Amino acid sequence: MNYRKLGKTNFNISEIALGTWQVGGKWGSPFNDKTADELINTAIDNGVNFIDTADVYENGLSEIAVGRVVRSRSERIYIATKCGRHINPHVNEGYQPKVLQKFVEDSLKRMGLETLDLIQLHCPPNQVFYRPEIFEMFDRLKDQGKILNLGVSVEKVEEALKAIEYSNVTTIQIIFNLFRQRPSELFLKEAQKKDIGIIARVPLASGLLTGLFDSKTTFGEQDHRNFNRDGAAFDKGETFSGINYELGLKAVEALKALFPETTNLAPIALQWILSFNEISCIIPGASKESHVLSNLSVYDLPKLTPEKIQAMNAIYEEYIKPQVHQLW
């Protein structure tokens, strides 16, 4: 495992971390505590020391599992969670300091912790980014010892750029992968100037970049890859990075032609992200132990050559960029 500094938090974290949106089950299927514990322990056993969760993942069960496992381990494991998406309807007016403070306190109780290493606003509405009182509230929580750092998870580059105007924002979590390249144009450089930690989420485009899907692949009724392709439930960009599924499959076929020796493109897609020094860590998810090990197999491959990276980027330019580049 290699480690990188998470911006001005000064945490030294594993560059391959663990996202827990679907840990303990597959999207749409019942949560399983035993599976969750196995996945988190496997990640830690292999050097992962940064785990990302959220209060809405499995309605708090993900947080409970993360806290349970981390408390049982002797290693220093950094925990990041998120708050805000429980607000219903999820609108600007629902964001109030007292509401967010209670979310933080509830997360602490679920995880059995006294202090959160990192609390992140969870893709708040655009208007929230223009309300200093929301960001200032987290300074009070830091003074109370309830949090160490504040970050923001965002949908759009513009939101990320606005968020880092606040001096107490230490990290940005943003969708960044081979099929979602816009953050590399401006944001990564601006974040680096301010020593902002960057957490790359949805790194495999909801599994599309594993190369294991085809036109006959089906997803469960409650799986967002089935019901949210057009953004019916939440931001369209969260599902397959906002790419039309059939178009994505065509791009993946071109990617397979570049790497005919492999059937699993996941570690190659993760290597592409790690080629950006500005990225602090990647948080691929997992619903099986094999997924965790697949993500960590990035270290078993030869390093991507500049020529390969250029060829991968050419696939993005041809298939993906004209359709979605400016949307997020």
Side-chain angles (χ1 to χ4, degrees), residues 44-128:
I44 296 172
D45 288 343
N46 284 276
V48 170
N49 73 345
F50 183 82
I51 301 174
D52 178 82
T53 185
D55 55 3
V56 292
Y57 293 169
E58 295 288 344
N59 198 30
L61 294 179
S62 175
E63 283 188 332
I64 291 171
V66 170
R68 179 174 62 242
V69 173
V70 170
R71 293 196 314 272
S72 75
R73 305 286 303 219
S74 60
E75 302 91 336
R76 174 59 165 111
I77 308 299
Y78 298 97
I79 298 176
T81 192
K82 311 182 198 75
C83 65
R85 296 297 295 197
H86 269 308
I87 295 169
N88 187 20
H90 188 238
V91 294
N92 172 53
E93 291 76 14
Y95 276 73
Q96 300 298 329
K98 289 184 178 179
V99 171
L100 294 170
Q101 178 170 340
K102 186 175 188 307
F103 288 156
V104 170
E105 292 168 348
D106 289 346
S107 289
L108 286 169
K109 289 177 183 176
R110 277 190 292 270
M111 290 191 278
L113 303 174
E114 293 183 359
T115 305
L116 294 175
D117 295 312
L118 176 65
I119 183 67
Q120 303 157 100
L121 288 171
H122 198 173
C123 299
N126 187 61
Q127 303 97 311
V128 173

XYZ file of all heavy atoms in Angstrom, residues 44-128:
675
model
N -8.666 -3.286 5.934
C -7.677 -2.864 6.934
C -6.497 -3.833 6.963
O -5.333 -3.414 7.065
C -8.340 -2.736 8.322
C -9.408 -1.633 8.308
C -7.289 -2.426 9.388
C -10.237 -1.554 9.573
N -6.782 -5.128 6.859
C -5.712 -6.131 6.847
C -4.722 -5.887 5.713
O -3.547 -6.265 5.808
C -6.296 -7.540 6.685
C -7.023 -8.029 7.930
O -6.818 -7.449 9.015
O -7.805 -8.989 7.799
N -5.195 -5.253 4.644
C -4.354 -5.022 3.476
C -3.829 -3.588 3.389
O -3.394 -3.154 2.320
C -5.120 -5.384 2.205
C -5.215 -6.881 2.002
O -4.305 -7.499 1.472
N -6.324 -7.466 2.445
N -3.868 -2.881 4.518
C -3.224 -1.576 4.568
C -4.127 -0.374 4.409
O -3.654 0.769 4.489
N -5.428 -0.585 4.172
C -6.350 0.555 4.076
C -6.509 1.189 5.450
O -6.793 0.497 6.431
C -7.725 0.097 3.537
C -8.761 1.216 3.670
C -7.604 -0.359 2.085
N -6.332 2.501 5.536
C -6.486 3.185 6.832
C -7.418 4.387 6.741
O -7.428 5.233 7.627
C -5.130 3.601 7.402
C -4.512 4.777 6.666
O -4.936 5.133 5.551
N -3.509 5.397 7.272
N -8.218 4.455 5.658
C -9.177 5.544 5.486
C -10.479 4.942 4.978
O -10.495 4.260 3.949
C -8.645 6.582 4.494
C -9.551 7.782 4.310
C -9.520 8.835 5.217
C -10.422 7.857 3.235
C -10.352 9.949 5.044
C -11.251 8.953 3.056
C -11.215 9.998 3.969
N -11.555 5.181 5.713
C -12.864 4.625 5.372
C -13.873 5.759 5.275
O -13.991 6.582 6.191
C -13.318 3.584 6.405
C -12.309 2.432 6.484
C -14.705 3.054 6.060
C -12.599 1.432 7.584
N -14.604 5.782 4.179
C -15.606 6.818 3.951
C -17.002 6.213 4.062
O -17.296 5.184 3.455
C -15.419 7.417 2.551
C -16.471 8.463 2.236
O -16.307 9.612 2.659
O -17.477 8.124 1.555
N -17.847 6.858 4.848
C -19.220 6.405 5.006
C -20.146 7.620 4.986
O -19.738 8.729 4.624
C -19.370 5.568 6.295
O -20.703 5.051 6.355
C -19.059 6.367 7.545
N -21.400 7.423 5.361
C -22.366 8.530 5.430
C -23.547 8.086 6.270
O -23.856 6.888 6.358
C -22.850 8.928 4.029
N -24.217 9.056 6.868
C -25.336 8.707 7.744
C -26.501 8.101 6.985
O -27.316 7.369 7.563
C -25.788 9.917 8.572
C -26.149 11.146 7.743
O -26.112 11.070 6.492
O -26.448 12.198 8.350
N -26.605 8.382 5.682
C -27.727 7.842 4.912
C -27.439 6.475 4.304
O -28.347 5.836 3.770
C -28.157 8.809 3.782
C -28.776 10.065 4.363
C -26.998 9.130 2.852
N -26.195 6.017 4.355
C -25.895 4.698 3.788
C -26.558 3.622 4.640
O -26.233 3.460 5.818
C -24.393 4.453 3.742
C -23.629 5.341 2.771
C -22.243 5.373 2.788
C -24.283 6.151 1.843
C -21.525 6.183 1.911
C -23.582 6.963 0.972
C -22.202 6.973 1.007
O -21.496 7.774 0.141
N -27.492 2.913 4.020
C -28.266 1.885 4.726
C -28.890 2.455 6.007
O -29.003 1.778 7.023
C -27.405 0.659 5.048
C -26.917 -0.080 3.819
C -28.006 -0.843 3.092
O -29.087 -1.054 3.685
O -27.781 -1.233 1.931
N -29.254 3.742 5.948
C -29.925 4.425 7.063
C -29.165 4.267 8.384
O -29.743 3.984 9.435
C -31.360 3.904 7.226
C -32.214 4.850 8.047
O -31.992 6.059 8.047
N -33.182 4.310 8.765
N -27.860 4.461 8.313
C -27.035 4.434 9.519
C -26.325 3.120 9.774
O -25.385 3.067 10.568
N -26.753 2.032 9.127
C -26.138 0.733 9.380
C -24.684 0.685 8.920
O -23.855 -0.004 9.526
C -26.942 -0.383 8.703
C -28.352 -0.627 9.250
C -29.046 -1.738 8.466
C -28.298 -0.978 10.732
N -24.377 1.410 7.854
C -22.991 1.464 7.384
C -22.105 2.117 8.443
O -21.019 1.612 8.763
C -22.903 2.231 6.064
O -21.557 2.391 5.663
N -22.554 3.233 9.010
C -21.784 3.893 10.069
C -21.584 2.970 11.266
O -20.490 2.906 11.842
C -22.491 5.172 10.525
C -22.333 6.343 9.589
C -22.883 7.626 10.192
O -23.820 7.558 11.023
O -22.386 8.705 9.837
N -22.640 2.281 11.655
C -22.542 1.379 12.808
C -21.485 0.311 12.550
O -20.656 0.010 13.425
C -23.917 0.738 13.103
C -24.896 1.802 13.624
C -23.777 -0.403 14.109
C -26.334 1.311 13.730
N -21.485 -0.259 11.351
C -20.510 -1.297 11.013
C -19.089 -0.742 11.015
O -18.165 -1.367 11.551
C -20.841 -1.910 9.654
N -18.911 0.431 10.414
C -17.573 1.040 10.376
C -17.066 1.288 11.790
O -15.929 0.942 12.135
C -17.601 2.352 9.565
C -16.277 3.116 9.738
C -17.850 2.066 8.083
N -17.909 1.879 12.627
C -17.499 2.147 14.007
C -17.173 0.881 14.770
O -16.176 0.818 15.508
N -18.004 -0.136 14.597
C -17.800 -1.407 15.298
C -16.442 -2.023 14.941
O -15.680 -2.444 15.820
C -18.929 -2.363 14.938
C -18.824 -3.740 15.586
C -20.056 -4.572 15.307
N -20.258 -4.845 13.891
C -21.328 -4.440 13.198
N -22.291 -3.741 13.776
N -21.440 -4.735 11.907
N -16.132 -2.072 13.649
C -14.877 -2.687 13.220
C -13.679 -1.846 13.637
O -12.695 -2.370 14.171
C -14.870 -2.906 11.694
C -13.497 -3.396 11.233
C -15.946 -3.911 11.292
N -13.757 -0.547 13.413
C -12.610 0.316 13.735
C -12.307 0.280 15.226
O -11.137 0.250 15.637
C -12.863 1.750 13.242
C -11.799 2.707 13.798
C -12.863 1.799 11.719
N -13.331 0.240 16.069
C -13.096 0.184 17.514
C -12.432 -1.129 17.924
O -11.766 -1.198 18.961
C -14.410 0.359 18.285
C -15.025 1.744 18.154
C -16.095 1.998 19.240
N -17.013 0.881 19.403
C -18.139 0.704 18.714
N -18.474 1.588 17.773
N -18.930 -0.328 18.946
N -12.611 -2.165 17.106
C -12.039 -3.470 17.439
C -10.595 -3.619 16.986
O -9.935 -4.596 17.332
C -12.880 -4.590 16.800
O -12.650 -4.672 15.402
N -10.107 -2.642 16.223
C -8.761 -2.741 15.664
C -7.787 -1.877 16.456
O -8.162 -0.899 17.091
C -8.756 -2.284 14.202
C -9.729 -2.987 13.293
C -9.314 -4.396 12.924
N -8.019 -4.488 12.299
C -7.728 -5.303 11.293
N -8.665 -6.098 10.780
N -6.496 -5.375 10.802
N -6.514 -2.257 16.372
C -5.471 -1.482 17.074
C -4.859 -0.418 16.174
O -4.229 0.522 16.671
C -4.373 -2.425 17.579
O -3.760 -3.120 16.498
N -5.038 -0.566 14.844
C -4.439 0.386 13.925
C -5.142 1.751 13.988
O -6.306 1.841 14.391
C -4.515 -0.129 12.476
C -3.853 -1.474 12.243
C -4.797 -2.645 12.416
O -5.818 -2.496 13.146
O -4.517 -3.702 11.837
N -4.422 2.787 13.567
C -5.051 4.108 13.451
C -5.799 4.153 12.122
O -5.203 4.169 11.047
C -3.989 5.216 13.497
C -4.522 6.644 13.234
C -5.586 7.044 14.243
N -5.861 8.472 14.242
C -6.998 9.016 13.812
N -7.963 8.247 13.327
N -7.177 10.326 13.880
N -7.112 4.133 12.209
C -7.955 4.176 11.026
C -8.695 5.512 11.012
O -9.348 5.875 11.997
C -8.973 3.015 11.003
C -8.262 1.669 11.207
C -9.757 3.030 9.692
C -7.243 1.313 10.168
N -8.601 6.219 9.919
C -9.278 7.505 9.781
C -10.678 7.281 9.202
O -10.845 6.581 8.206
C -8.480 8.435 8.864
C -7.103 8.748 9.392
C -5.986 8.037 8.952
C -6.918 9.742 10.347
C -4.719 8.312 9.434
C -5.652 10.032 10.846
C -4.556 9.314 10.390
O -3.309 9.585 10.878
N -11.667 7.877 9.862
C -13.060 7.728 9.441
C -13.599 9.062 8.943
O -13.496 10.088 9.623
C -13.946 7.225 10.593
C -13.491 5.841 11.066
C -15.410 7.178 10.163
C -14.270 5.325 12.262
N -14.181 9.010 7.751
C -14.884 10.175 7.207
C -16.347 9.803 7.041
O -16.668 8.731 6.526
C -14.291 10.559 5.855
N -17.231 10.663 7.498
C -18.647 10.448 7.235
C -19.238 11.730 6.660
O -18.525 12.709 6.427
C -19.399 9.964 8.484
O -20.708 9.514 8.104
C -19.510 11.046 9.552
N -20.540 11.708 6.409
C -21.181 12.843 5.739
C -22.522 13.134 6.399
O -23.114 12.248 7.036
C -21.411 12.546 4.248
C -20.196 12.010 3.521
C -20.509 11.785 2.043
C -19.500 10.878 1.402
N -19.697 9.462 1.779
N -22.994 14.355 6.194
C -24.290 14.734 6.750
C -25.006 15.687 5.802
O -24.388 16.379 5.002
C -24.123 15.386 8.124
S -23.243 16.979 8.105
N -26.321 15.692 5.917
C -27.139 16.626 5.144
C -28.190 15.957 4.283
O -29.258 16.518 4.050
N -27.920 14.732 3.812
C -28.861 14.109 2.886
C -30.108 13.583 3.580
O -31.093 13.228 2.912
C -28.189 12.955 2.127
C -27.049 13.375 1.237
C -27.450 14.299 0.123
N -28.335 13.707 -0.851
C -28.565 14.199 -2.061
N -27.969 15.317 -2.449
N -29.387 13.609 -2.883
N -30.109 13.550 4.914
C -31.327 13.162 5.631
C -32.381 14.271 5.571
O -33.558 14.034 5.877
C -31.019 12.845 7.099
C -30.702 11.405 7.356
N -31.518 10.370 6.941
C -29.659 10.818 7.998
C -31.000 9.217 7.310
N -29.873 9.454 7.948
N -31.969 15.469 5.205
C -32.923 16.580 5.109
C -33.908 16.277 3.985
O -33.521 16.012 2.847
C -32.179 17.906 4.836
C -31.298 18.270 6.033
C -33.163 19.032 4.520
C -30.337 19.408 5.772
N -35.191 16.289 4.316
C -36.223 15.911 3.359
C -37.404 16.871 3.451
O -38.041 16.952 4.507
C -36.672 14.472 3.629
C -37.627 13.945 2.579
O -37.695 14.475 1.477
N -38.377 12.915 2.928
N -37.702 17.601 2.374
C -37.023 17.579 1.086
C -35.606 18.151 1.187
O -35.334 18.999 2.041
C -37.924 18.441 0.196
C -38.603 19.378 1.142
C -38.818 18.583 2.397
N -34.742 17.676 0.304
C -33.335 18.089 0.357
C -33.182 19.433 -0.342
O -32.781 19.526 -1.499
C -32.446 17.025 -0.291
C -30.985 17.286 -0.095
N -30.096 17.432 -1.132
C -30.269 17.453 1.040
C -28.889 17.660 -0.652
N -28.971 17.683 0.656
N -33.487 20.492 0.410
C -33.463 21.850 -0.134
C -32.647 22.750 0.784
O -32.387 22.429 1.950
C -34.897 22.419 -0.284
C -35.670 21.636 -1.335
C -35.633 22.412 1.049
N -32.256 23.886 0.242
C -31.423 24.842 0.968
C -32.001 25.218 2.320
O -31.293 25.300 3.327
C -31.239 26.092 0.088
C -30.563 27.222 0.824
O -29.493 27.057 1.400
N -31.190 28.397 0.803
N -33.320 25.443 2.370
C -33.957 25.908 3.601
C -33.818 24.895 4.738
O -33.871 25.262 5.913
C -35.438 26.196 3.341
C -35.701 27.406 2.447
C -35.429 27.122 0.972
O -35.286 25.925 0.602
O -35.366 28.101 0.191
N -33.650 23.624 4.391
C -33.502 22.600 5.421
C -32.149 22.601 6.099
O -31.992 22.013 7.180
N -31.190 23.268 5.493
C -29.846 23.339 6.065
C -29.798 24.426 7.126
O -29.788 25.617 6.814
C -28.811 23.601 4.972
C -28.363 22.335 4.274
C -29.216 21.686 3.380
C -27.120 21.771 4.522
C -28.829 20.515 2.752
C -26.723 20.599 3.898
C -27.586 19.971 3.015
O -27.193 18.799 2.400
N -29.832 23.993 8.378
C -29.762 24.897 9.516
C -28.680 24.380 10.466
O -28.520 23.162 10.631
C -31.109 24.968 10.237
C -32.258 25.462 9.360
C -32.052 26.882 8.859
O -31.420 27.695 9.540
N -32.573 27.180 7.674
N -27.934 25.275 11.127
C -26.841 24.836 12.007
C -27.255 23.796 13.034
O -26.549 22.799 13.240
C -26.382 26.143 12.659
C -26.656 27.176 11.607
C -27.944 26.741 10.965
N -28.409 23.997 13.686
C -28.839 23.043 14.717
C -29.140 21.672 14.121
O -28.864 20.640 14.744
C -30.063 23.586 15.455
C -29.760 24.760 16.378
C -30.995 25.192 17.140
C -30.670 26.341 18.093
N -31.878 26.787 18.841
N -29.690 21.663 12.925
C -30.016 20.395 12.257
C -28.734 19.628 11.950
O -28.616 18.422 12.221
C -30.812 20.660 10.953
C -30.963 19.373 10.141
C -32.180 21.247 11.279
N -27.754 20.331 11.392
C -26.498 19.683 11.027
C -25.728 19.230 12.267
O -25.095 18.171 12.257
C -25.651 20.638 10.180
C -26.246 20.969 8.810
C -25.474 22.103 8.158
C -26.267 19.748 7.898
N -25.776 20.029 13.325
C -25.094 19.631 14.556
C -25.673 18.326 15.098
O -24.928 17.446 15.536
C -25.208 20.721 15.615
C -24.536 20.314 16.934
C -24.418 21.465 17.918
O -24.478 22.628 17.542
N -24.242 21.132 19.193
N -26.991 18.185 15.036
C -27.599 16.943 15.515
C -27.184 15.755 14.646
O -26.947 14.654 15.157
C -29.125 17.055 15.541
C -29.787 15.825 16.184
C -31.270 15.958 16.321
C -31.856 14.810 17.141
N -31.476 13.470 16.635
N -27.075 15.972 13.336
C -26.609 14.901 12.456
C -25.223 14.422 12.875
O -24.949 13.219 12.909
C -26.569 15.364 11.001
C -27.920 15.532 10.366
C -28.080 16.396 9.284
C -29.030 14.831 10.812
C -29.305 16.557 8.670
C -30.269 14.986 10.210
C -30.404 15.854 9.134
N -24.338 15.362 13.172
C -22.976 15.020 13.596
C -23.023 14.223 14.899
O -22.355 13.187 15.044
C -22.114 16.278 13.756
C -20.777 15.950 14.432
C -21.875 16.929 12.398
N -23.804 14.693 15.845
C -23.900 14.008 17.137
C -24.493 12.610 16.982
O -24.069 11.667 17.655
C -24.724 14.859 18.102
C -23.999 16.151 18.494
C -24.898 17.151 19.203
O -26.140 16.946 19.198
O -24.373 18.140 19.752
N -25.470 12.462 16.081
C -26.062 11.148 15.833
C -25.034 10.195 15.222
O -24.991 9.010 15.568
C -27.273 11.272 14.905
C -28.471 11.921 15.585
O -28.473 12.028 16.826
O -29.407 12.332 14.862
N -24.206 10.714 14.317
C -23.167 9.875 13.707
C -22.167 9.411 14.752
O -21.743 8.247 14.757
C -22.447 10.635 12.588
O -23.291 10.809 11.464
N -21.789 10.299 15.650
C -20.866 9.930 16.720
C -21.443 8.812 17.575
O -20.743 7.848 17.926
C -20.553 11.153 17.590
C -19.614 12.207 16.987
C -19.620 13.464 17.830
C -18.194 11.657 16.860
N -22.731 8.914 17.901
C -23.372 7.877 18.717
C -23.398 6.542 17.984
O -23.099 5.496 18.565
C -24.798 8.315 19.080
C -24.864 9.462 20.083
C -26.305 9.887 20.323
C -26.371 11.082 21.255
N -27.766 11.568 21.422
N -23.773 6.570 16.695
C -23.854 5.320 15.937
C -22.498 4.629 15.849
O -22.411 3.399 15.921
C -24.402 5.582 14.527
C -25.905 5.658 14.445
C -26.401 5.667 13.021
N -26.036 6.913 12.334
C -26.786 8.005 12.321
N -27.951 8.014 12.954
N -26.403 9.095 11.685
N -21.445 5.407 15.699
C -20.115 4.816 15.534
C -19.385 4.594 16.852
O -18.317 3.997 16.872
C -19.279 5.677 14.590
C -19.768 5.593 13.152
S -18.642 6.323 11.939
C -19.089 8.044 12.099
N -19.962 5.095 17.947
C -19.326 4.917 19.242
C -18.022 5.687 19.370
O -17.076 5.229 20.012
N -17.991 6.873 18.797
C -16.782 7.704 18.790
C -17.018 9.000 19.548
O -18.143 9.457 19.695
C -16.372 8.040 17.348
C -16.116 6.856 16.402
C -15.879 7.373 14.988
C -14.922 6.038 16.883
N -15.925 9.587 20.012
C -16.007 10.901 20.651
C -15.734 12.018 19.656
O -16.223 13.140 19.826
C -15.008 10.985 21.804
C -15.340 10.061 22.967
C -14.374 10.233 24.128
O -13.441 11.070 24.008
O -14.539 9.541 25.148
N -14.949 11.702 18.607
C -14.547 12.719 17.635
C -14.539 12.114 16.241
O -14.094 10.980 16.050
C -13.135 13.244 17.945
O -13.091 13.713 19.293
C -12.764 14.390 17.013
N -15.035 12.881 15.265
C -14.967 12.471 13.874
C -13.701 13.039 13.237
O -13.427 14.232 13.369
C -16.187 12.972 13.106
C -17.548 12.395 13.491
C -18.651 13.101 12.715
C -17.585 10.897 13.214
N -12.951 12.195 12.544
C -11.758 12.686 11.848
C -12.135 13.675 10.754
O -11.451 14.683 10.556
C -10.984 11.519 11.223
C -10.432 10.575 12.271
O -9.830 11.065 13.243
O -10.615 9.346 12.120
N -13.231 13.383 10.060
C -13.661 14.235 8.947
C -15.165 14.134 8.783
O -15.707 13.042 8.620
C -12.965 13.795 7.644
C -13.375 14.522 6.359
C -12.986 15.996 6.417
C -12.731 13.854 5.138
N -15.841 15.281 8.856
C -17.261 15.337 8.545
C -17.401 16.115 7.244
O -16.747 17.137 7.047
C -18.093 15.991 9.679
C -19.595 15.976 9.348
C -17.629 17.424 9.951
C -20.210 14.619 9.312
N -18.247 15.606 6.346
C -18.404 16.244 5.045
C -19.858 16.599 4.791
O -20.750 15.768 5.023
C -17.924 15.286 3.937
C -16.487 14.829 4.093
C -16.230 13.517 3.357
O -15.691 13.508 2.262
N -16.641 12.399 3.958
N -20.110 17.807 4.329
C -21.435 18.130 3.827
C -21.680 17.247 2.611
O -20.802 17.111 1.747
C -21.514 19.611 3.440
C -21.527 20.598 4.607
C -21.386 22.027 4.097
C -22.815 20.451 5.411
N -22.856 16.643 2.532
C -23.125 15.585 1.564
C -23.887 16.124 0.356
O -25.114 16.095 0.310
C -23.911 14.459 2.244
C -23.874 13.172 1.502
N -24.394 12.002 2.026
C -23.383 12.827 0.285
C -24.215 11.016 1.162
N -23.617 11.505 0.095
N -23.138 16.640 -0.606
C -23.720 17.167 -1.844
C -24.885 18.116 -1.560
O -26.027 17.866 -1.984
C -24.167 16.037 -2.760
S -22.821 14.953 -3.278
N -24.616 19.210 -0.834
C -25.693 20.137 -0.500
C -26.196 20.898 -1.718
O -25.493 20.996 -2.732
C -25.016 21.094 0.496
C -23.562 21.060 0.127
C -23.304 19.647 -0.317
N -27.413 21.447 -1.644
C -27.921 22.290 -2.726
C -26.980 23.474 -2.973
O -26.276 23.931 -2.060
C -29.282 22.766 -2.198
C -29.678 21.733 -1.186
C -28.390 21.277 -0.552
N -26.998 23.982 -4.172
C -26.050 25.016 -4.569
C -26.082 26.240 -3.663
O -25.047 26.831 -3.353
C -26.334 25.439 -6.016
C -25.291 26.397 -6.551
O -24.109 26.073 -6.642
N -25.729 27.592 -6.894
N -27.277 26.632 -3.187
C -27.391 27.843 -2.368
C -26.616 27.745 -1.057
O -26.193 28.757 -0.493
C -28.861 28.154 -2.060
C -29.744 28.327 -3.291
C -30.481 27.052 -3.626
O -29.884 25.977 -3.693
N -31.804 27.173 -3.823
N -26.437 26.526 -0.558
C -25.741 26.331 0.717
C -24.293 26.824 0.636
O -23.732 27.308 1.625
C -25.788 24.844 1.135
C -24.916 24.582 2.365
C -27.228 24.425 1.406
